[in-house]
Every structure is written in C-alpha cells, then in structure tokens.
Amino acid sequence: MREESAGVVERFATVSQTFPLTGRLALERSAARSGLSAAESRARQERVDLGARVHATFIDLLLAQERAAALDKGRAQLRELVEALRAREKAGESSGFDRMRAEQDAAEVEADVSEARARLAEDRASLA
C-alpha cells in the first residue's frame, strides 16, 4: 500500500498470520484423514468387486463353452438320425413324419447352436 501526503510518500506492507484458536485445524486434519481412509476403502472394495465380476464372467464363459460343445454334439447326433430316417424312408420301413420331426428338431438345435455361439463370443469379449 502507498500513501502520499504533503509531498512525503509512505509505503506500507501488511503481514498477517492466523492463529487457529478454535481447534478448526485439528478438525480439518481429522476430516482429511477420514476422507483418505474412505477413499482407500472404496478402492479396495472396487478391486474386490472387479475380481468377483471377472470370476463370474469367466464362469459364464466356461458355461457357454460347455453348452456350445453339448449342442454341437447333439446337432451331429440329430444329423445322423435324419440320415438314418431318410434311408429307412427310402426303404419303406418308416414314414416321412419321423424324418420331418427329426429335421425340425435339428433346425431348432441349429438355432440353439447359433445362439450359444453368439453368447460365447459375447462372454469372450466381456472377459477380454
């Protein structure tokens, strides 16, 4: 600050120092420590949650793989059945209804296989 009076220039500087008489500084330190502790606890909990989600996704992936493999096996067996029923139908030993029913079942399993493969790809992407 500067003051001029009667040709005399005086310069002033103000220095202030606060003294916490209320104990507020100790309370602020305590609050900061509590905030840090809460943040650390949240970080630990997030790591645990992330580990649990990875584990659950891995289990889902294994389930999808097993389901896709079982459906592939069932699809192959149904194809063999359809071929056997075609041969029996040509030989006159069976009706066309049996073959058509097996073909319908094979088509349904084919749709299930497509769905299982999509789920498998989704689970792999999620885990990645």
Side-chain angles (χ1 to χ4, degrees), residues 57 61 117-128:
T57 303
L61 175 63
R117 294 214 179 276
R119 176 64 188 210
L120 184 60
E122 180 184 315
D123 286 345
R124 282 183 178 149
S126 179
L127 190 60

Side-chain angles (χ1 to χ4, degrees), residues 49-63 119 123 126-127:
D49 289 345
L50 181 60
R53 280 185 296 198
V54 167
H55 186 261
T57 303
F58 180 72
I59 296 300
D60 289 344
L61 175 63
L62 288 178
L63 177 64
R119 176 64 188 210
D123 286 345
S126 179
L127 190 60

Side-chain angles (χ1 to χ4, degrees), residues 85-94:
L85 289 173
R86 279 188 184 139
R88 288 184 67 191
E89 185 180 359
K90 283 182 184 178
E93 296 176 8
S94 133

Side-chain angles (χ1 to χ4, degrees), residues 98-127:
D98 293 335
R99 178 191 45 81
M100 288 189 301
R101 179 64 187 171
E103 286 174 345
Q104 182 182 359
D105 288 345
E108 289 174 5
V109 169
E110 190 68 39
D112 290 344
V113 166
S114 297
E115 182 183 334
R117 294 214 179 276
R119 176 64 188 210
L120 184 60
E122 180 184 315
D123 286 345
R124 282 183 178 149
S126 179
L127 190 60

